Every structure is written in C-alpha cells, then in structure tokens.
Amino acid sequence: LQDSGNMMVRSMCLQLSLYALSVCASQNGRHFLAAHQVITQLWLVLSYICDGFADVGTMKGSRMLGENRFGLVRLMSRRLLIAGLVTGVGAAMLMLVAEQQIIQAFAGQTSASTIAALHQVWPLIACLQPINAMVFVYDGLLMATRSFAYVRNVFLIGVPFLYIPVLLYGNARYHSLLAIWGAKGCLNVWRFLTSMWRINIQLDAEWRCAELKHDTCAQQVEMETCTLLDKEDPASEEPYPVGNCEQTYESEDGTEFSV
C-alpha cells in the first residue's frame, strides 16, 4: 500500500508537469499550442520505444535480485542503458537530419507561425532525446529495485523547486516555446542525474559488496564441507606393511639354515 501511494505521488507530479506545460503554451496563442501538441507527440513516440527496455529491466531485474544474482543485474543494467542511449542518439540524429520532413508530416498545412515555433524549439528537443531515452530505461530499473520512495522524493523536489520556477520564469520572460520546453528539459535532466546516482553509484556499490560477500560465503562453505568429508573418511597414514622375508634353505649335507 505504501509503494502504491509513492507511485501515485509520482504520477500526479508527472501529470501536473504536463498540464502546466499545456497551460503555458495556450497562453501564447493558438500557433504555440499547435506546435506544443506536435512536440508532445514526438516526445511520447520515443517513450513508447524505450518502454520495451524499461519492461525488460523491471521483469528480469526483479527476478535476478530475488535470486541474489547481482552480477547479472549489473550486466543487464549496463546493456539496457547502452541500448537506450543508442536509441536516443539515433532518434536525435534522425530529427536533426530530417527536420523539415518530420515537421511537415506532423504539422501538415498549418500556419507559418506554428512552423516557425517548431523550428525554434526543434534543436532542443532533438538534443534531449538521448537523455529522455535513458530516463525511460532508468524508470524500469528503479521499479525493479523497488525504489518507490526514492522516485517519489525525486519528483517532490524536482517539480515544485526546479520545474515550476523555470517554467514560470521562462514563460513570463521570453514567451516562447523554447523557454517552456526548456523547463521540461531541466526536469528530465534532474531525473536522469538522480536515477544515475541511485542505480550506477548507490545500488551498484551495494550489489558489488553483496556479490563479493556471496562469493566469500560460498568459498567458506566449500572449505568447511571438504574439512568435514576429510574427518569422516581420513586418508590412511599407516606405514607400508613389512612381511617376513626369511627363507629356509638346505645344504648339501642336509643341514637347514635361514636367510
């Protein structure tokens, strides 16, 4: 029940951030709101792709942790993060190379103001894709490690004390889509840094210690087992038995003698 409450707080903070983003975009005109919707859809496309990596991390990671296979958890985490990074870099390169074509496909026959707003914010959205992809992967790993309270605290700090101030200042000062989505980028960078600290530094150190302790215990058990087996069936240390080597002979005159 406590874990459910923590995840509810996380979901509410995330939805609040998206709602505040839409409110600020709508205050700057219809062309800003239209461009904002296009960016939101592109933002979600990558999350759908990387959710597969996150699901693998949640399902496989929780099972491996339950089996105390900490070395495999560390290996799987690295591979999933590399896969997410490669996906994010590929998405960023595609967005930068095919900017005009993607905008045309999503925006269609919209006003020139909407197209201009999209071109203005496009480099920022493209550069954030690698970070976004790794954040989505980290979400799955955090669920596997049952870091629900940690995730709750990350959002309770990041949304009111980082995201909202940057969003309100950017919207009031610059009145641009770039400033609005810059606040969203700050929130995702915050999530990325805190997730990296939790998985790659804090928990990774614990997994290393647990793995080392597990190997040490296994070696001790093996040595104790060998000692017990030696006591139950000790090797024979008796000297080589020496038999009676005397031989009896008879001389020519009939007298017997031994050698």
Side-chain angles (χ1 to χ4, degrees), residues 142-214:
L142 289 170
M143 298 304 105
T145 57
R146 299 187 63 187
S147 302
F148 304 113
Y150 182 85
V151 173
R152 178 205 62 197
N153 294 336
V154 166
F155 275 89
L156 286 178
I157 295 174
V159 172
F161 298 108
L162 176 65
Y163 172 74
I164 296 298
V166 173
L167 178 65
L168 294 178
Y169 175 79
N171 187 48
R173 179 70 173 82
Y174 297 103
H175 301 285
S176 68
L177 201 62
L178 179 61
I180 294 174
W181 275 93
K184 183 65 173 175
C186 289
L187 179 61
N188 269 31
V189 171
W190 165 254
R191 292 173 61 190
F192 168 74
L193 293 176
T194 53
S195 299
M196 183 173 62
W197 167 262
R198 177 65 174 169
I199 297 296
N200 297 113
I201 298 178
Q202 191 175 26
L203 288 179
D204 189 76
E206 294 181 7
W207 293 337
R208 285 175 181 270
C209 294
E211 186 179 7
L212 181 61
K213 188 180 298 184
H214 181 269

Side-chain angles (χ1 to χ4, degrees), residues 90-129:
M93 294 179 62
L94 179 63
M95 289 182 66
L96 292 174
V97 171
E99 176 180 348
Q100 189 63 41
Q101 291 80 2
I102 296 175
I103 290 177
Q104 189 66 31
F106 276 84
Q109 301 296 325
T110 58
S111 64
S113 300
T114 301
I115 301 297
L118 285 172
H119 283 296
Q120 182 189 35
V121 75
W122 200 264
L124 173 65
I125 301 303
C127 293
L128 284 174
Q129 295 310 304

Side-chain angles (χ1 to χ4, degrees), residues 125-141:
I125 301 303
C127 293
L128 284 174
Q129 295 310 304
I131 294 178
N132 294 345
M134 296 187 73
V135 165
F136 300 143
V137 176
Y138 272 127
D139 282 344
L141 297 175

Side-chain angles (χ1 to χ4, degrees), residues 62-79:
S62 57
R63 190 175 105 184
M64 291 176 183
L65 288 173
E67 297 173 351
N68 294 329
R69 302 165 70 184
F70 302 106
L72 289 179
V73 175
R74 295 173 57 230
L75 178 62
M76 181 199 67
S77 300
R78 287 196 298 267
R79 289 182 175 178

Side-chain angles (χ1 to χ4, degrees), residues 249-257:
Y249 297 93
E250 184 178 353
S251 60
E252 293 179 358
D253 59 1
T255 303
E256 295 182 355
F257 61 95

Side-chain angles (χ1 to χ4, degrees), residues 43-91:
W43 191 277
L44 294 175
V45 165
L46 184 64
S47 70
Y48 297 147
I49 298 174
C50 292
D51 273 348
F53 301 141
D55 291 339
V56 171
T58 301
M59 294 182 291
K60 295 289 187 180
S62 57
R63 190 175 105 184
M64 291 176 183
L65 288 173
E67 297 173 351
N68 294 329
R69 302 165 70 184
F70 302 106
L72 289 179
V73 175
R74 295 173 57 230
L75 178 62
M76 181 199 67
S77 300
R78 287 196 298 267
R79 289 182 175 178
L80 289 177
L81 290 171
I82 290 174
L85 179 61
V86 171
T87 303
V89 171

